């Protein structure tokens, strides 16, 4: 056997063989798991008394959302439940709020779960988003080194705290990624009379909340963060909560659908692919009483306090009072 | 600070061992999925790059140098740039949106193929061009058919070609930007080792992230080791 005397030939042949197995395994498994998935979701629906959830025609649903919902682990709890109840298959795409909203506007996503009320309203007014519903809130906190060089512990509110940081030129790390958190931060700077914070003391990471907290911790800097991400990473950070409980620090989440009629004007092809039925089902699911209860319980076992407060049906202006 | 760092690394090491040797289902499926995606992309890249490399070596035609320069440029193509371009193409609002393959494994294979093809093309063209021209004349003079000629050339450059393929594989398996953008990092569907590492890190699960990073390094090392052993075997044969 000349073949076996040529190690490189043998090795190459084995490589091809391995890849071939992978490839065939890929197709076979994919089809199989899709089948079992369909059958389990079918039986799951049948088991639920009263709720008749026939397998939807278009099963795929793209949810554009923010990194905070994914990083906290909330989506890992809610999405399997939604899939089981309705038979849809959700693709959660966790990106910055800026991209999440843009994906909805262009019709690249079916439904959005985001937390930047002003930008959301802009989409609703344009007609790009419909069926906007209040889901929940958590709050932002200002964290920083325990030494608190700008003395913001004694500040009256978040605006005062930001003023003090700017006056003392104390190091502040911003996400600078156009995310909901970043937008909130810029909003507070504006209220503090600083149109565009800049200078050596103001640094922008352009990264997600988790990474930005790491940077702030390393540099002993202040930053604005959502409570959930901070709690989840608290042990690994040398940062303390220095300012909290201010109504203007609320982080309010809404869910809303992409409007196929709006997308149709610019891109009929994309509009045809929007899964409006699935999007509506997801909005209904998020404001459903049972889901709201799960949201309110989420995180209690791990952190001793909930990460999100369910708000469906409430008036947005009544929150935090 | 140093103590915290060491704690994290040791915790990560410990957890990595537990996860790898207990054959944790999540870790195992992410690893296998990563190999499938990158393996498929590499095979497609080979199918595109090798014939093209032979053509670039054996034929002189207008635009030949231009193609080679493009391949060399493509070797340094940043994966995030590829991710952005492929995203714009495959989003529903893009020209190929109708296919509906954005946020699927297929989209990831496309992106990784775009990343690894120029690497394999550039390196294998260089490898084939290094074969002595006189050897080619000899082979032709001995009356070889064109097909035999191609086979002999591939055989002559086999070690360099395998290094080229491994470089393409390595480039694709280690990139994160494109996979994140076109795959969406969906659990149990499009999550590969690199995107899982990014997610676990931002979640603050450094132990899990470290465990996954050890597996990724292990895979990369296994590929490199295999190649090195093959190449060294040749040298040992020479000195016998």
């Amino acid at each position: 056997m000349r073949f076996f005397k040529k190690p490189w030939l043998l090795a190459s042949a084995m490589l091809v063989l391995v890849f071939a197995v992978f490839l065939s395994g890929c197709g076979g498994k994919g089809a199989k798991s899709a089948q079992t998935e369909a059958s389990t979701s079918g039986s799951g629906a049948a088991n639920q008394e009263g709720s008749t959830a026939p397998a939807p025609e278009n099963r795929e649903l793209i949810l554009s959302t923010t990194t905070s919902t994914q990083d906290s682990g909330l989506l890992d709890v809610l999405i399997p439940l939604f899939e089981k109840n309705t038979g849809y298959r959700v693709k959660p795409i966790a990106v910055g709020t800026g991209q999440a909203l843009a994906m909805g506007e262009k019709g690249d996503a079916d439904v959005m779960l985001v937390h930047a009320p002003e930008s959301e309203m802009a989409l609703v007014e344009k007609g790009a988003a419909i069926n906007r519903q209040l889901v929940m809130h958590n709050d932002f906190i200002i964290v920083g080194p325990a030494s608190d060089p700008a003395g913001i512990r004694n500040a009256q509110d978040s605006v005062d705290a930001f003023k003090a940081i700017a006056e003392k030129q104390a190091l502040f790390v911003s996400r600078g990624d156009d995310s909901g958190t970043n937008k909130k931060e810029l909003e507070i700077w504006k209220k503090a009379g600083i149109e565009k914070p800049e200078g050596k003391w103001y640094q922008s990471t352009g990264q997600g909340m988790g990474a930005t907290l790491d940077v702030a911790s390393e540099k002993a800097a202040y930053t604005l963060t959502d409570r959930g991400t901070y709690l989840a990473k608290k042990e690994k950070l040398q940062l303390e909560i220095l300012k909290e409980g201010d109504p203007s620090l609320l982080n309010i989440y809404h869910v809303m659908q992409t409007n196929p009629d709006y997308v149709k004007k610019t891109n009929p092809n994309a509009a045809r692919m929007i899964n409006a039925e699935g999007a509506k089902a997801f909005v209904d699911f998020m404001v459903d009483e049972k889901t709201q209860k799960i949201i309110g319980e989420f995180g209690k076992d791990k952190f001793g306090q909930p990460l999100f407060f369910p708000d469906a049906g409430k008036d947005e202006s009544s929150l935090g009072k | 600070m140093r103590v915290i760092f060491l704690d994290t690394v040791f915790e990560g090491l410990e957890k990595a061992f537990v996860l790898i040797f207990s054959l944790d289902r999540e870790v195992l499926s992410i690893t296998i999925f990563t190999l499938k995606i990158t393996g498929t992309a590499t095979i497609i890249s080979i199918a595109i790059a090798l014939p093209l490399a032979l053509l670039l070596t054996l034929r002189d035609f207008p635009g030949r140098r231009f193609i080679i320069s493009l391949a060399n440029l493509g070797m340094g193509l940043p994966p995030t740039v590829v991710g952005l371009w492929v995203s714009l193409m495959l989003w529903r609002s893009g020209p190929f949106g109708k296919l509906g393959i954005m946020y699927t494994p297929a989209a990831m294979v496309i992106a990784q193929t775009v990343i690894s093809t120029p690497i394999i093309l550039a390196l294998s063209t260089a490898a084939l061009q290094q074969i002595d021209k006189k050897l080619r004349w000899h082979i032709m003079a001995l009356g070889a058919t064109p097909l035999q000629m191609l086979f002999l050339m591939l055989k002559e450059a086999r070690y360099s070609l395998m290094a080229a393929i491994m470089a393409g594989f390595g480039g694709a398996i280690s990139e994160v930007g494109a996979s994140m953008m076109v795959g969406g990092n969906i659990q149990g569907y499009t999550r590969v080792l690199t995107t899982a590492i990014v997610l676990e890190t931002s979640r603050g699960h450094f132990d899990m992230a470290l465990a996954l990073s050890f597996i990724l390094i292990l895979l990369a090392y296994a590929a490199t080791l295999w190649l090195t052993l093959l190449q060294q075997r040749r040298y040992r044969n020479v000195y016998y």
Side-chain angles (χ1 to χ4, degrees):
Chain A
M1 291 294 279
R2 187 167 152 266
F3 195 67
F4 290 106
K5 284 184 194 151
K6 303 277 182 197
W8 71 274
L9 246 181
L10 180 66
S12 311
M14 271 170 65
L15 186 74
V16 169
L17 202 70
V18 167
F19 281 153
V21 169
F22 271 139
L23 280 176
S24 61
C26 205
K29 245 188 227 160
K32 230 186 264 168
S33 65
Q35 263 176 10
T36 49
E37 226 170 73
S39 67
T40 47
S41 71
S43 64
N47 286 341
Q48 270 174 7
E49 9 142 48
S51 75
T52 44
E57 214 169 285
N58 181 2
R59 291 184 61 213
E60 190 185 291
L61 186 66
I62 295 180
L63 164 70
S64 69
T65 184
T66 63
T67 44
S68 55
T69 53
Q70 185 177 53
D71 287 356
S72 64
L74 180 66
L75 284 184
D76 294 345
V77 176
L78 293 183
I79 284 177
L81 200 68
F82 173 73
E83 290 181 336
K84 212 183 112 195
N85 286 351
T86 59
Y88 287 105
R89 182 165 186 2
V90 182
K91 294 182 170 176
I93 308 302
V95 289
T97 305
Q99 192 189 339
L101 291 171
M103 282 175 69
E105 190 178 348
K106 288 193 297 163
D108 294 323
D110 302 303
V111 61
M112 298 161 261
L113 176 64
V114 285
H115 59 105
E118 275 180 31
S119 312
E120 290 162 24
M121 281 315 293
L123 278 200
V124 172
E125 275 156 23
K126 247 198 261 179
I130 48 174
N131 198 11
R132 177 171 175 264
Q133 305 270 358
L134 179 61
V135 176
M136 61 191 179
H137 77 267
N138 60 2
D139 58 346
F140 290 109
I141 49 179
I142 304 176
V143 298
S147 59
D148 191 12
I152 68 167
R153 268 204 191 91
N154 306 319
Q156 261 179 359
D157 54 18
S158 55
V159 175
D160 265 2
F162 270 38
K163 271 185 194 157
I165 292 171
E167 265 164 36
K168 290 266 161 58
Q169 306 257 308
L171 199 58
F172 186 96
V173 176
S174 164
R175 284 180 56 173
D177 62 351
D178 213 18
S179 61
T181 312
N182 186 219
K183 284 180 176 167
K184 189 86 198 176
E185 181 211 314
L186 293 175
E187 205 181 295
I188 302 175
W189 284 121
K190 226 181 208 171
K191 279 187 197 159
I194 298 160
E195 265 316 302
K196 195 167 174 275
E198 54 193 351
K200 254 191 182 165
W201 60 277
Y202 185 81
Q203 302 185 349
S204 178
T205 62
Q207 295 191 69
M209 196 68 251
T212 303
L213 278 170
D214 288 333
V215 174
S217 176
E218 284 301 316
K219 297 193 166 195
Y222 293 100
T223 191
L224 182 77
T225 170
D226 62 284
R227 189 183 293 268
T229 312
Y230 173 75
L231 284 176
K233 297 194 63 159
K234 196 177 162 200
E235 282 170 31
K236 308 245 159 67
L237 299 171
Q238 300 196 325
L239 296 171
E240 285 186 12
I241 301 179
L242 298 174
K243 199 77 221 153
E244 62 182 330
D246 180 344
S248 76
L249 286 180
L250 288 191
N251 186 19
I252 301 165
Y253 288 81
H254 284 83
V255 64
M256 52 189 193
Q257 281 178 244
T258 302
N259 184 2
D261 292 331
Y262 175 86
V263 177
K264 205 188 277 171
K265 279 185 255 165
T266 51
N267 196 331
N269 278 333
R272 263 197 293 280
M273 295 182 71
I274 292 172
N275 188 349
E277 271 173 44
K280 184 171 184 316
F282 189 79
V283 173
D284 292 344
F285 169 79
M286 287 305 287
V287 298
D288 186 73
E289 213 175 297
K290 283 181 207 155
T291 315
Q292 289 279 306
K293 206 172 160 219
I294 296 169
I295 292 173
E297 295 291 318
F298 179 74
K300 265 189 188 170
D301 49 347
K302 208 170 159 193
F303 306 114
Q305 49 177 306
L307 296 183
F308 298 96
F309 303 92
D311 293 323
K314 284 187 204 162
D315 183 8
E316 191 182 323
S317 58
S318 73
L319 298 180
K321 283 177 186 156
Chain B
M1 229 40 242
R2 181 168 294 158
V3 176
I4 293 178
F5 169 74
L6 283 180
D7 278 357
T8 312
V9 170
F10 282 126
E11 262 171 46
L13 268 172
E14 203 182 314
K15 177 116 185 214
F17 272 111
V18 173
L19 285 173
I20 294 167
F21 290 104
S22 66
L23 298 178
D24 180 81
R25 266 190 66 185
E26 172 115 29
V27 171
L28 203 66
S29 64
I30 291 178
T31 309
I32 291 173
F33 179 71
T34 305
L35 285 171
K36 268 183 205 165
I37 291 291
T38 306
T40 312
T42 311
I43 289 186
I44 297 173
S45 297
I46 295 171
I48 299 170
L50 270 196
L52 202 54
L54 279 168
L55 189 73
L56 289 172
T57 312
L58 296 174
R59 288 274 178 280
D60 200 357
F61 54 90
R64 190 181 75 96
R65 281 172 204 194
F66 182 61
I67 293 180
I68 295 179
S69 72
L70 278 189
N72 285 331
L73 172 73
M75 277 178 77
L77 204 57
T80 30
V81 172
V82 175
L84 174 67
W85 291 346
V86 176
S87 293
L88 288 173
M89 292 285 152
L90 295 184
W91 262 325
R92 285 177 190 162
S93 51
F96 297 100
K98 263 190 178 171
L99 300 176
I101 55 171
M102 189 65 179
Y103 306 125
T104 64
M108 301 171 78
V109 169
I110 291 175
Q112 294 199 356
T113 304
V114 174
I115 290 167
S116 63
T117 303
I119 301 179
I120 299 180
L121 178 59
L123 291 178
S124 52
T125 305
L128 289 171
Q129 284 182 339
Q130 274 183 358
I131 300 173
D132 198 339
K133 268 203 171 154
K134 285 179 200 149
L135 182 76
R136 268 159 55 190
W137 297 336
H138 273 300
I139 296 173
M140 279 200 285
L142 290 171
T145 64
L147 211 62
Q148 282 175 320
M149 169 81 177
L150 289 182
F151 179 75
L152 283 169
M153 279 189 69
L154 288 178
K155 194 182 158 191
E156 190 60 30
R158 59 189 178 264
Y159 294 109
S160 312
L161 288 179
M162 265 167 13
I165 291 166
M166 275 301 153
F169 181 83
I173 202 171
S174 61
E175 71 78 27
V176 56
S179 291
M180 189 67 106
M181 287 159 100
V182 307
N185 192 23
I186 300 166
Q187 187 181 19
Y189 188 56
T190 56
R191 189 164 293 174
V192 288
L193 283 168
T194 49
T195 59
I197 290 172
V198 171
L199 176 68
E200 298 300 342
T201 306
S202 75
R203 278 182 174 171
H205 299 168
F206 299 136
D207 43 3
M208 181 70 171
L210 267 173
L212 293 167
S213 76
F214 290 133
I215 295 175
L216 188 57
I217 292 173
L218 216 65
L219 285 181
Y221 183 63
T224 316
L225 183 71
W226 176 67
L227 185 71
T228 314
L229 287 181
L230 277 178
Q231 285 177 334
Q232 294 310 309
R233 177 174 290 180
R234 176 176 63 159
Y235 281 104
R236 200 182 59 196
N237 285 347
V238 169
Y239 292 123
Y240 259 142

